[in-house]
Amino acid sequence: MLLLNPNTNATTTNMMCALAAEDLCSTGMEVRGITVAGGPRMIIDPDALARSERYVREAVSEQLAADSEAAIAGVIVGAIGDPGRAWLSQECRVPVIGIGQASILRAGRHGRRFGMATSTPLLAGSLVLRI
C-alpha cells in the first residue's frame, strides 16, 4: 500500500505509516510512505490545498513509473482535504482513497448523520465540499 503525505513533513509520513501498518498487518500488506518533494509544509488553507495537488500527482506518478502498478495494491492520500485524489483515481489502475474521503464514507454509513471538526478552520469550506 502506498501512503502519500501531501505535506513536506517526513516525520508525519512516518507516523501515518506506523498507524496504517498496524491496521493492515493482518492482511500481509506492506505500507510504503512517500513524502512529497515540494509544496506546503502543512496544508492549512485552501491555497495550500490547491498547491499541494501538483506535488501529489508528481510523487505518485514517479513511484508508479519506478514500480509496476501490480506491486502496489492501492494509494492512500494522507491529508484530510484529499489533494490530488480525484486525479489519481482517474489516472491510476489501483484503488485510491483519501483519508478525508474514507472518514466521510465511514461516518455516513447507513445514512448516519455526522459532524466534522478540524484543527485547520480555514479549510472548513473545502472540507464541506467533500461531503
Side-chain angles (χ1 to χ4, degrees), residues 51-74:
R51 283 194 338 260
S52 67
E53 288 191 19
R54 169 184 154 211
Y55 298 100
V56 167
R57 291 192 307 265
E58 288 174 1
V60 173
S61 295
E62 287 172 14
Q63 190 65 47
L64 293 177
D67 293 336
S68 84
E69 278 193 55
I72 297 172

Side-chain angles (χ1 to χ4, degrees), residues 43-50 53 80-83 100 104 116 118 120-131:
I43 299 171
I44 59 169
D45 58 41
D47 181 55
L49 182 63
E53 288 191 19
I80 197 74
D82 300 338
I104 290 166
M116 294 175 73
T118 178
T120 53
L122 296 176
L123 282 175
S126 300
L127 298 176
V128 168
L129 294 175
R130 305 280 187 268
I131 300 173

